[in-house]
Structure formats: structure tokens, C-alpha cells
Amino acid sequence: MASRGPGGVEGSLKRLYEDPRTLLGSRAERADLQAEMLAETASVLARPVVAAGTGCGDGRATAVVMARCKRTAGAQVSLFGLDWSREALEKARRS
């Protein structure tokens, strides 16, 4: 797979999984890296992509991902969230 931009998808993966400064929890910085990876991958594929957010909780990280994908040229992404908590899913649906 080709990469675009500084570091591209490979650089994002490396930062997400190999950089000890990357937080392991679901924080904004981690959501930003995941969003970057999905958006760059989708733009390189140049076709619609369907992705699932497992354990999406209240949808905050999902919203970050979708905003990034909408700003990335050529990234056509549909994303749906899965979570055990009905309350969290309802909150995500409202936001």
C-alpha cells in the first residue's frame, strides 16, 4: 500500500504501536492517531470503506475519526459503533 504525506499510514501505525509516549488508553491523542490511519488508508484505497468501532462507548472517538475522514481528500468512510452499553450507544447516537 502506498503512503501519502509525512510518515503516511506506516508512520501512524508505528507511532500508535511502537512509540512508548503514545497513551494506551482511549484518549484524544490515540483517537487522533487512529483517525489519521483510517483516513489515510481510505484515501489510498480510493474506494468506499466500511469500518466498525468496537467498544465505541459514547462515540467521542468515533466523532474524531469521522471528522478526520471528512477532511481527508478521497477518504470515503462509513463507520458504525458497537458497544455492550445501551446507555453509551444512546449517548453516541444523540451526539
Side-chain angles (χ1 to χ4, degrees):
M1 175 181 351
S3 69
R4 294 167 23 157
V9 175
E10 293 85 4
S12 296
L13 282 169
K14 187 171 184 127
R15 284 193 309 279
L16 186 63
Y17 292 109
E18 296 179 14
D19 187 339
R21 295 171 294 178
T22 301
L23 300 172
L24 296 178
S26 294
R27 300 230 168 70
E29 297 86 0
R30 189 168 179 86
D32 288 339
L33 285 173
Q34 292 168 330
E36 179 182 343
M37 286 188 315
L38 180 58
E40 289 294 320
T41 299
S43 69
V44 170
L45 291 174
R47 63 177 173 79
V49 172
V50 178
T54 56
C56 68
D58 64 7
R60 283 184 277 184
T62 304
V64 169
V65 170
M66 288 309 299
R68 175 62 185 260
C69 289
K70 287 178 182 177
R71 291 192 314 266
T72 302
Q76 303 172 54
V77 177
S78 296
L79 183 62
F80 64 95
L82 304 167
D83 199 286
W84 287 105
S85 170
R86 183 178 297 238
E87 184 178 327
L89 290 172
E90 287 300 322
K91 187 174 181 181
R93 198 172 285 127
R94 288 190 302 268
S95 57

